[in-house]
Amino acid sequence: MGAQEPVVVHKGLENVYVCESNICFIDGENSRLLYRGYSVEDLVENSFYEEVAYLLLYGRLPKREELSSFVESLRQSYELPKVMLDLLKQFPKNAHPMDVLRTGVSMLSFFDNSSDDYSRALRIIGAMPTIVASFARARKGLELVAPKKELSIATNFLYMLNGNEPDEEDARAMDIAYIVHAEHEMNASTFSCIVTASTLSDLYSVVTSGIATLKGPLHGGANERALEYFLSVGSPEKAEEAVEHTLNAKQRLMGFGHRVYKNYDPRYKILKPLAKALSEKKGKAWVYKTAEAVEQAALKRLSEHKIFPNVDFYSGILFHALGIETDLFTPIFAMSRSVGWIAHALEYVQNNRLIRPKAYYTGELNKKYTPIDQR
Amino acid sequence: MGAQEPVVVHKGLENVYVCESNICFIDGENSRLLYRGYSVEDLVENSFYEEVAYLLLYGRLPKREELSSFVESLRQSYELPKVMLDLLKQFPKNAHPMDVLRTGVSMLSFFDNSSDDYSRALRIIGAMPTIVASFARARKGLELVAPKKELSIATNFLYMLNGNEPDEEDARAMDIAYIVHAEHEMNASTFSCIVTASTLSDLYSVVTSGIATLKGPLHGGANERALEYFLSVGSPEKAEEAVEHTLNAKQRLMGFGHRVYKNYDPRYKILKPLAKALSEKKGKAWVYKTAEAVEQAALKRLSEHKIFPNVDFYSGILFHALGIETDLFTPIFAMSRSVGWIAHALEYVQNNRLIRPKAYYTGELNKKYTPIDQR
């Protein structure tokens, strides 16, 4: 007590800097997103998820032999410990896949024999797709598909999910989705990861926190609801009326607007043509066309308020076209973002400070306990 | 970008207010800790954990019928779903109990059929001791002890752990330990709970985050290490020399000092006589006497720097005297603190704002992707 200055409560910690970081730069006015200094467009054009993961974790692009040993370790982690797989099969079929993923990563800690945090990181990142795909099959009573170590993370995920290898175009689309979701500065889930890391807790705890936080509908889950909206609109012709109705009712249009981007989201630009191509290929062109009509109608009213479509607007359509069930969208986001979470946690603890803010007390003081019958 | 003011990075968010709250008031200069306006001393004197839990969750002391229905619901939650108990029994025996508790609470979400967050809260709070006690027996190959619904949380925990009911003195000591650990304002684990809650994620996710964050040695775990220190010192006579050695080597004396208390920790005052009485009763008086000698020696050097013993100094001795294994101390902290975590999460979302701070980017900009053989 005794502070003379007026108390400022930073609700939502908006515009409060909690740390320095070399990982991610977002210029929301100019639609720029850089991972370790490289634009996301450049990485999507030239790179692939495993290399981007190396870049985010280690701070630079790998040399050839570094990349192969990194990829090799990652692939060793695709396979879950047998006991863990047995436990996973006993999970109730109606469990939410995000609850399963959160529990699965937490459980993975039981089987840890890593010598350091970087190998622990690869165990977690490599195992997450197996947890999600295994549960997605188990809940439908399907035989589990063991991972194939010769496949990339994205390809292997689709393989484990569907039981057959995706063609090159599908695999590449999935890989790009992985890249654009890998990292996004100090969002809520990443922040919860560094709060957990700041007590010097372990990486399993860190990623478990991240999943727990991403699960909330204000964070993960927007692409799911955007897709559901397009499906409910039903056709491009009905888009304008539906958008009018939604906006006039002061309801939020999912996949539009962002606290940081005040112009289009660069990830949206990357995903839109992919969503188009895949929807057409899979005979779901009407969903894409509906979304595009929704976009046009919404932009007429929202662009003057600097509200533009974000990453979630077309990612759901892309996943849907790939035949992925809606409730797996947020787990996929988590699988991809795990790299960003871990990169931030490892960076933070290098120069650690326990994160312990304050709450401003507005309650009563010095109340006197009263016996139960006098209340 | 384009901000003109110099950037301030709030490392550790020290002295940053993140929200208003009516739950807890700490006056670190004057050693005061209030729960909802009532001093912790008053509550320890007059109340018991279940009533304190009601107070923290609902903001006021319960009337008689409110308390009985609250206690009744809580006791209904002692018993774990059978599938969950079966899963728990298959956890590897060498898993850390905090990893087990984090996984167990996360897993509890699979079996949720609560209609609202308050009943969900009771399910979590009621089940946590059963998860911890069941695993503590299972890992030793002992038969699990089913909870007894007629017992209080604290008594039932000791009963499930040991297979027989504690006497009144032991049960009361455990209950008081529960009360003093139930809540402590915006510490790191509580903060991680509100970060998770701020995305509107569910209560299982919230408490899972809290456990993940409490696990770190900078947060939970200090009482464990304080006890180990006393055991390693070995006798009161050796205390002075050991303390000199520790402090001269610039090592931290566990259970001393606190970011908020600049005078004695009120919880320390409550636990000290209990630790004394129980140690003597259980034939472990030497441990208590060693701790007291450590305290005297340390105070000579540290009190002028306003470094005083905190809650962790004697709580480990108390748990040790009750025959509890050292690696269960932090899970017990979590079991008790779950009430504070949930109270803060439920309060925060009533006036919710997504918690999304910023990281100040200090890395390079506009790097150009180079092909792998040119790196």
Side-chain angles (χ1 to χ4, degrees):
Chain A
M1 302 278 90
Q4 299 304 305
E5 291 169 41
V7 165
V8 180
V9 174
H10 296 274
K11 274 228 87 171
L13 293 178
E14 194 162 358
N15 295 321
V16 172
Y17 289 98
V18 294
C19 61
E20 299 190 349
S21 175
N22 289 329
I23 298 173
C24 184
F25 177 75
I26 304 173
D27 176 354
E29 295 293 335
N30 298 303
S31 298
R32 291 167 72 219
L33 168 61
L34 310 183
Y35 293 173
R36 299 283 190 183
Y38 299 94
S39 78
V40 69
E41 292 87 354
D42 207 6
L43 293 170
V44 162
E45 174 85 21
N46 295 293
S47 189
F48 54 99
Y49 183 70
E50 282 79 352
E51 186 175 75
V52 171
Y54 187 103
L55 172 68
L56 287 168
L57 290 170
Y58 291 94
R60 58 175 177 78
L61 289 169
K63 294 181 195 297
R64 191 175 289 281
E65 57 283 12
E66 290 169 333
L67 182 61
S68 12
S69 112
F70 178 80
V71 166
E72 172 61 23
S73 306
L74 204 47
R75 292 182 180 185
Q76 292 301 332
S77 311
Y78 288 177
E79 208 165 325
L80 300 180
K82 182 170 175 325
V83 183
M84 168 126 178
L85 211 53
D86 288 342
L87 288 164
L88 209 59
K89 285 184 207 162
Q90 298 166 60
F91 287 4
K93 292 193 190 335
N94 64 348
H96 190 288
M98 276 299 270
D99 292 339
V100 167
L101 182 59
R102 190 188 59 229
T103 306
V105 169
S106 180
M107 188 177 265
L108 205 57
S109 66
F110 300 165
F111 309 97
D112 180 61
N113 56 7
S114 310
S115 51
D116 63 79
D117 272 337
Y118 282 93
S119 58
R120 203 162 284 127
L122 298 197
R123 280 182 69 86
I124 297 171
I125 298 162
M128 286 171 75
T130 315
I131 295 170
V132 174
S134 300
F135 178 70
R137 288 184 74 87
R139 70 173 172 179
K140 291 195 281 194
L142 297 172
E143 193 84 33
L144 302 204
V145 175
K148 270 195 192 170
K149 285 188 190 148
E150 61 273 28
L151 301 179
S152 75
I153 289 233
T155 310
N156 181 54
F157 174 67
L158 291 175
Y159 167 68
M160 291 187 294
L161 197 61
N162 301 321
N164 46 53
E165 289 186 36
D167 68 25
E168 216 171 295
E169 190 186 7
D170 289 5
R172 182 66 188 143
M174 192 68 197
D175 196 72
I176 290 173
Y178 249 97
I179 294 176
V180 303
H181 286 95
E183 162 57 21
H184 210 243
E185 211 238 17
M186 201 44 65
N187 52 83
S189 59
T190 303
F191 182 50
S192 80
C193 289
I194 71 164
V195 172
T196 299
S198 83
T199 70
L200 302 183
S201 195
D202 63 282
L203 268 193
Y204 298 98
S205 293
V206 163
V207 176
T208 303
S209 265
I211 299 168
T213 305
L214 183 66
K215 196 193 165 195
L218 295 189
H219 191 0
N223 56 3
E224 209 171 297
R225 289 187 290 151
L227 174 70
E228 280 159 8
Y229 185 76
F230 308 145
L231 297 177
S232 78
V233 169
S235 74
E237 295 72 36
K238 296 187 191 144
E240 187 139 3
E241 196 189 325
V243 168
E244 287 299 307
H245 181 268
T246 302
L247 295 180
N248 291 343
K250 308 263 179 222
Q251 283 165 351
R252 206 166 156 203
L253 200 65
M254 299 315 297
F256 254 79
H258 197 278
R259 202 189 274 187
V260 179
Y261 294 112
K262 300 301 167 202
N263 202 324
Y264 73 86
D265 180 334
R267 302 168 297 174
Y268 141 87
K269 280 245 171 159
I270 292 168
L271 295 185
K272 185 175 174 176
L274 288 176
K276 180 171 195 289
L278 282 188
S279 300
E280 287 167 359
K281 176 179 168 191
K282 309 281 182 176
K284 290 178 179 165
W286 73 268
V287 189
Y288 173 80
K289 284 185 187 142
T290 305
E292 206 177 30
V294 166
E295 183 188 353
Q296 290 313 318
L299 276 174
K300 277 186 214 158
R301 290 190 45 176
L302 298 175
S303 60
E304 61 184 298
H305 304 291
K306 301 203 169 199
I307 299 176
F308 292 90
N310 62 41
V311 65
D312 299 313
F313 198 80
Y314 285 111
S315 63
I317 294 194
L318 190 151
F319 296 140
H320 180 66
L322 287 170
I324 299 171
E325 292 153 286
T326 315
D327 65 358
L328 302 181
F329 295 180
T330 313
I332 291 173
F333 187 168
M335 283 152 47
S336 158
R337 182 60 56 85
S338 61
V339 168
W341 289 338
I342 293 171
H344 278 282
L346 295 180
E347 179 189 64
Y348 189 85
V349 298
Q350 275 176 8
N351 185 17
N352 193 55
R353 180 99 177 108
L354 178 72
I355 298 182
R356 199 221 185 275
K358 287 173 125 176
Y360 183 63
Y361 186 67
T362 48
E364 294 178 72
L365 293 171
N366 307 322
K367 297 187 81 169
K368 201 77 203 123
Y369 184 88
T370 43
I372 193 156
D373 292 320
Q374 293 168 31
R375 289 172 197 162
Chain B
M1 301 277 84
Q4 300 304 308
E5 291 169 42
V7 165
V8 179
V9 175
H10 296 274
K11 275 229 87 171
L13 293 178
E14 193 161 356
N15 294 320
V16 172
Y17 290 98
V18 293
C19 61
E20 300 190 348
S21 175
N22 289 329
I23 298 173
C24 184
F25 177 75
I26 304 172
D27 176 354
E29 296 292 335
N30 298 303
S31 299
R32 290 167 72 219
L33 168 61
L34 310 183
Y35 293 172
R36 299 282 190 183
Y38 299 94
S39 78
V40 68
E41 292 86 355
D42 207 6
L43 294 171
V44 162
E45 174 86 22
N46 295 294
S47 189
F48 53 98
Y49 182 70
E50 282 79 352
E51 186 175 75
V52 170
Y54 187 103
L55 172 68
L56 286 168
L57 290 170
Y58 292 93
R60 59 176 177 77
L61 289 169
K63 294 182 195 297
R64 190 176 289 280
E65 57 284 11
E66 291 169 333
L67 183 61
S68 12
S69 112
F70 178 80
V71 166
E72 172 60 24
S73 306
L74 203 49
R75 293 181 180 185
Q76 292 302 333
S77 311
Y78 288 177
E79 208 166 324
L80 300 180
K82 181 171 177 323
V83 182
M84 170 128 177
L85 211 54
D86 289 342
L87 288 164
L88 208 60
K89 286 184 204 160
Q90 299 167 60
F91 287 4
K93 291 192 189 340
N94 64 349
H96 190 287
M98 275 300 269
D99 292 338
V100 167
L101 181 59
R102 190 188 60 229
T103 306
V105 169
S106 181
M107 188 177 266
L108 204 57
S109 65
F110 301 164
F111 309 96
D112 180 60
N113 56 6
S114 310
S115 51
D116 63 79
D117 272 337
Y118 282 93
S119 58
R120 203 161 283 128
L122 298 197
R123 280 182 68 87
I124 297 171
I125 298 162
M128 286 172 74
T130 315
I131 295 170
V132 174
S134 300
F135 178 71
R137 289 184 73 87
R139 69 174 174 180
K140 291 195 279 194
L142 298 172
E143 193 84 34
L144 302 203
V145 175
K148 270 195 193 172
K149 285 187 190 151
E150 61 273 29
L151 302 179
S152 75
I153 289 235
T155 310
N156 181 53
F157 174 67
L158 291 174
Y159 166 68
M160 290 187 295
L161 197 62
N162 301 320
N164 46 54
E165 289 186 36
D167 68 25
E168 217 170 294
E169 189 185 8
D170 289 5
R172 181 67 188 142
M174 192 67 197
D175 196 72
I176 290 174
Y178 249 97
I179 294 176
V180 303
H181 286 96
E183 163 56 21
H184 210 244
E185 210 236 18
M186 201 44 65
N187 53 83
S189 59
T190 303
F191 182 50
S192 80
C193 289
I194 70 164
V195 172
T196 299
S198 83
T199 70
L200 303 184
S201 195
D202 63 282
L203 268 193
Y204 298 97
S205 293
V206 164
V207 176
T208 303
S209 266
I211 298 168
T213 305
L214 183 66
K215 196 193 165 195
L218 295 190
H219 192 0
N223 57 3
E224 208 171 297
R225 289 188 291 151
L227 174 70
E228 280 159 8
Y229 184 76
F230 307 145
L231 297 176
S232 78
V233 169
S235 74
E237 296 71 35
K238 295 187 191 144
E240 188 140 4
E241 195 189 328
V243 169
E244 286 298 308
H245 182 268
T246 302
L247 295 180
N248 291 343
K250 309 266 179 218
Q251 283 164 353
R252 202 162 160 206
L253 200 66
M254 298 317 296
F256 254 79
H258 197 279
R259 202 189 273 188
V260 179
Y261 294 113
K262 300 302 165 200
N263 202 323
Y264 73 84
D265 180 335
R267 302 168 298 174
Y268 140 88
K269 280 243 170 159
I270 292 168
L271 294 185
K272 186 175 175 177
L274 288 176
K276 180 171 195 288
L278 281 189
S279 300
E280 287 167 358
K281 175 179 168 190
K282 309 280 182 176
K284 290 179 178 165
W286 72 268
V287 189
Y288 173 80
K289 284 185 186 143
T290 304
E292 205 177 30
V294 166
E295 183 188 352
Q296 291 313 319
L299 277 174
K300 277 187 215 157
R301 289 192 43 179
L302 298 175
S303 60
E304 61 183 298
H305 305 291
K306 301 203 169 198
I307 298 175
F308 292 90
N310 62 41
V311 66
D312 299 314
F313 198 80
Y314 285 111
S315 63
I317 295 192
L318 190 152
F319 295 140
H320 180 67
L322 287 170
I324 299 171
E325 292 152 287
T326 316
D327 64 359
L328 302 181
F329 294 0
T330 313
I332 291 172
F333 187 168
M335 282 151 48
S336 157
R337 181 60 56 85
S338 61
V339 169
W341 289 338
I342 293 171
H344 278 282
L346 296 180
E347 179 190 63
Y348 189 84
V349 297
Q350 275 176 9
N351 184 17
N352 192 55
R353 178 98 177 109
L354 178 71
I355 298 182
R356 200 222 184 274
K358 287 173 124 175
Y360 183 63
Y361 186 67
T362 48
E364 293 178 70
L365 293 171
N366 307 322
K367 296 187 82 170
K368 200 76 204 122
Y369 184 87
T370 43
I372 193 157
D373 291 321
Q374 294 168 30
R375 288 171 198 162

